[in-house]
Amino acid sequence: MRTQVAIVGAGPAGLLLSHLLARGGVDSVVLETRSEQYVAARIRAGILEHSSVELLESAGLGARLRAEGDEHRGIHLQWPRERHHLDFVELTGRSVWVYGQTEVQKDLVAARRAGGQEIIYEVSDVALHDVDSDRPSVTYADRSGAVQRLDADVIAGCDGSFGPSRAAVPAARTFERVYPYSWLGILADVAPSTDELIYAWHPDGFALHSMRSATVSRLYLQVPNGTDPASWSDDRIWDALATRLGHGQNGWKLTPGPITDKSVLPMRSRVQTPMRHGNLFLAGDAAHIVPPTGAKGLNLAIADVALLSRALIARIRENDPRLADTYSETAQRRVWRCTHFSWWMTTMLHTSGDPFDAELQLSQLRWVASSRAGATGLAENYAGLPIFI
């Protein structure tokens, strides 16, 4: 089988890339090791930057987002006895949207199915070949176990941090930071107790009140690495959230509800460079991972794909390699800006147990909340820089 672009990975990065390529007249085939149901059900990011929303709308993917998503003007920053609202729209003219990755995935699957996109799920033994030549290919075993080969002009690795694509870049340099804490995250069938997200610093550890819809809340607690989610009972989780989020503070109340999902997410940053080798291009988690504190993971994948689709369309349709040749360098300018912002938010809000660190964090939080310059810096990074910078 042959196509112009072989895309490894059918998550949001891979499917959005196939969608944008198709709009530019470039064919692709998408390979995915998991089942369609598994990919659709993965609970991941829930915040879309202003630029991400603009891109999805321009690609014809914004109807359900606008109808069912929730636009937020900003966030709340909190520490004991104080809560401050940062209005991103007033500060930067840009908002964010609460719209879960599962919903983005549904929209992309529907759009690609309507476009006749070939997506091959549940493949195994995926291997990339001759990526530094003009005849790259991908081999894999289909559901029956038969070995297949997909020839292409270009391979796009959108298969995350554990897929084969990132390992196919020889002599890549990796920068990594593993944080000494994780998030215990829950989904609860209860209406959110807040209008916009609450980022809370507390001596017991960080807490975040987020949401997925008008009836489903998403909440997080800082916990030690290696925590077993089963060691936290539902009552213990709600008690810790109430304490850290300030239940009863200035009349605000946290409403508990049935917990439907409970998991632990380690916190780490990783950036691999370059994001291209020969005719292999990396996008999304295959090239970089950030802690979720800055809400950047999905948005970085969208930005990568926006750049990569333009580069591949220009190269394949117009025989113009300039954007492809500068793709890695261009993408990584935004990657490192978002990596720094994610690190900054993470280190400002997560406690270490060191009293000196705690006083520095509180000083930083007070400055952000009281300084227009500080608040604007946070708002500009959180709501998102333009994709094409």
Side-chain angles (χ1 to χ4, degrees):
M1 181 165 52
R2 179 167 184 84
T3 188
Q4 290 175 305
V5 180
I7 300 174
V8 185
L15 291 190
L16 180 58
L17 178 59
S18 72
H19 182 77
L20 296 175
L21 290 174
R23 288 171 67 89
V26 173
D27 295 329
S28 65
V29 172
V30 183
L31 305 175
E32 171 59 52
T33 59
R34 302 287 192 170
S35 69
E36 181 177 350
Q37 293 73 24
Y38 179 92
V39 177
R42 284 187 294 203
I43 300 169
R44 296 285 177 85
I47 303 295
L48 291 177
E49 296 177 1
H50 187 88
S51 296
S52 297
V53 173
E54 287 183 327
L55 179 77
L56 293 172
E57 288 189 314
S58 70
L61 298 165
R64 202 165 69 89
L65 189 164
R66 287 287 182 181
E68 300 179 21
D70 189 10
E71 186 177 16
H72 284 191
R73 291 183 62 96
I75 61 171
H76 300 281
L77 273 185
Q78 177 178 305
W79 54 96
R81 296 176 298 282
E82 292 195 44
R83 180 181 294 174
H84 299 267
H85 182 250
L86 303 186
D87 189 324
F88 297 165
V89 176
E90 193 271 331
L91 290 165
T92 68
R94 299 164 72 82
S95 63
V96 296
W97 282 75
V98 175
Y99 194 66
Q101 178 171 316
T102 52
E103 304 308 312
V104 174
Q105 184 74 14
K106 288 177 188 176
D107 295 340
L108 286 165
V109 168
R112 299 317 303 129
R113 185 170 287 130
Q117 175 68 49
E118 185 165 13
I119 307 172
I120 306 173
Y121 290 99
E122 298 180 71
V123 303
S124 59
D125 299 325
V126 177
L128 282 59
H129 307 277
D130 302 320
V131 298
D132 55 353
S133 76
D134 292 333
R135 296 175 177 269
S137 64
V138 182
T139 56
Y140 61 93
D142 62 22
R143 292 184 212 183
S144 71
V147 176
Q148 307 289 345
R149 173 175 170 145
L150 175 61
D151 294 305
D153 299 321
V154 167
I155 299 173
C158 303
D159 48 345
S161 58
F162 299 108
S165 297
R166 63 181 291 255
V169 178
R173 188 177 183 188
T174 300
F175 303 85
E176 190 163 15
R177 172 68 52 84
V178 177
Y179 296 89
Y181 32 72
S182 299
W183 279 8
L184 171 63
I186 66 166
L187 276 176
D189 283 340
V190 62
S193 302
T194 178
D195 58 340
E196 294 181 336
L197 277 67
I198 303 171
Y199 284 78
W201 182 97
H202 191 274
D204 292 350
F206 169 74
L208 171 63
H209 191 325
S210 184
M211 63 280 290
R212 284 296 177 265
S213 70
T215 59
V216 177
S217 296
R218 181 72 161 151
L219 302 104
Y220 300 93
L221 289 165
Q222 177 186 342
V223 295
N225 286 341
T227 294
D228 180 358
S231 68
W232 281 74
S233 68
D234 291 7
D235 287 343
R236 183 187 178 191
I237 289 171
W238 286 115
D239 287 346
L241 286 167
T243 298
R244 299 187 197 185
L245 290 169
H247 175 80
Q249 180 176 307
N250 296 323
W252 181 80
K253 294 183 179 180
L254 174 68
T255 303
I259 294 175
T260 60
D261 183 83
K262 193 186 302 183
S263 59
V264 169
L265 174 67
M267 306 285 282
R268 63 188 177 117
S269 295
R270 180 183 55 75
V271 179
Q272 178 170 308
T273 185
M275 292 170 61
R276 177 199 181 179
H277 175 67
N279 281 311
L280 168 64
F281 296 79
L282 305 181
D285 287 359
H288 43 72
I289 294 174
V290 291
T293 325
K296 289 287 160 267
L298 176 58
N299 293 292
L300 269 177
I302 290 173
D304 286 352
V305 165
L307 293 171
L308 183 55
S309 61
R310 293 208 321 183
L312 296 183
I313 290 167
R315 178 178 160 179
I316 293 170
R317 296 280 294 177
E318 303 165 20
N319 197 30
D320 183 348
R322 288 175 296 176
L323 292 176
D325 289 344
T326 59
Y327 164 70
S328 180
E329 179 184 355
T330 303
Q332 289 210 326
R333 286 202 295 268
R334 200 176 201 275
V335 167
W336 277 112
R337 173 85 300 275
C338 292
T339 298
H340 179 269
F341 176 66
S342 300
W343 166 85
W344 181 74
M345 288 282 286
T346 300
T347 54
M348 179 173 65
L349 288 161
H350 291 74
T351 57
S352 67
D354 185 321
F356 185 82
D357 287 348
E359 292 302 326
L360 289 178
Q361 290 172 319
L362 289 169
S363 175
Q364 182 86 321
L365 286 163
R366 294 187 189 105
W367 172 70
V368 170
S370 62
S371 163
R372 185 175 181 88
T376 301
L378 190 154
E380 183 180 70
N381 283 274
Y382 194 105
L385 302 171
I387 289 175
F388 301 110
I389 58 174

